Amino acid sequence: SQQGEEDPQALSIQEGENATMNCSYKTSINNLQWYRQNSGRGLVHLILIRSNEREKHSGRLRVTLDTSKKSSSLLITASRAADTASYFCATDAKGGNTGKLIFGQGTTLQVKP
Amino acid sequence: NAGVMQNPRHLVRRRGQEARLRCSPMKGHSHVYWYRQLPEEGLKFMVYLQKENIIDESGMPKERFSAEFPKEGPSILRIQQVVRGDSAAYFCASSESRENQPQHFGDGTRLSIL
C-alpha cells in the first residue's frame, strides 16, 4: 500500500507562524525526502534525511525522522507568503535497488500575508 | 548549470494519437526517473533508466507505454494510442546515483487528451 502519507492534507496559517507537516510510511527505508511543489511547476528538493539520522536543518526548515514510529515531520519556522505550496514526503524503500521514490498525497500549505 | 529540462511543457493529443515526452537530465546525471501525477494527487513512479538500460519499469502500464534513454540525446517517454485516462502531468527527475541522492525534477509535461 501507499508509502508516505502526509498529515494534515491542508494547512492555513498567518505569515510569521510555524507550519508543521507530518509523514508516515509503512516499510523500512534508506532515506526520506521532502519536496515542495508550486502550482503548475515541478518538485523542488528540500531535504534528504537518511535512515540513521534523527534530525536535519536547512535554513528555516527542520526535519525529524523516527524510524521506530515510521514517521517524519517537516517544520517551517517564521513562514512567509512565498512558502505557499504543496509539500510531499517521499521514501526510498530499503532493499529496493533502484532508488525509486514513493510519494504521499501531499500537504497543501497556505500562508496568508 | 541547467536543471532538468522537459519538453514540451504542454502537449495536446487526440485519442488514438501518439505522445512523445522528452527529458534532458542535469549535467553529469546518468540516472533518470519518470513519474506521473494526476490532479490533486502525489507522484507515482513509472520507470527508472540509466544510459541505454531500463532498470525498473514496475510502474509502467504493460501496454502502450515505453521509455528509452539512448547513449546520445534525451530520455523519451512514449505513449501510443493515447486515451483520455492518460491525461496527467508527467515529470522527469535525474540523480547522480541511485542511492541516497536527491532527485532533481523538471517542470513536467502536461498532457491533455481530447
Side-chain angles (χ1 to χ4, degrees), chain A residues 3 27-31 51-52 91-97 100:
Chain A
Q3 291 262 71
T27 63
S28 296
I29 59 172
N30 288 320
N31 64 67
S51 60
N52 60 353
T91 52
D92 176 0
K94 196 168 192 175
N97 62 354
K100 74 181 184 188

Side-chain angles (χ1 to χ4, degrees), chain A residues 21 36-39 81-87 107-111:
Chain A
M21 288 160 266
R36 184 187 76 226
Q37 184 180 33
N38 290 88
S39 181
D83 294 328
T84 294
S86 292
Y87 291 82
T107 292
T108 301
L109 173 65
Q110 182 186 29
V111 181

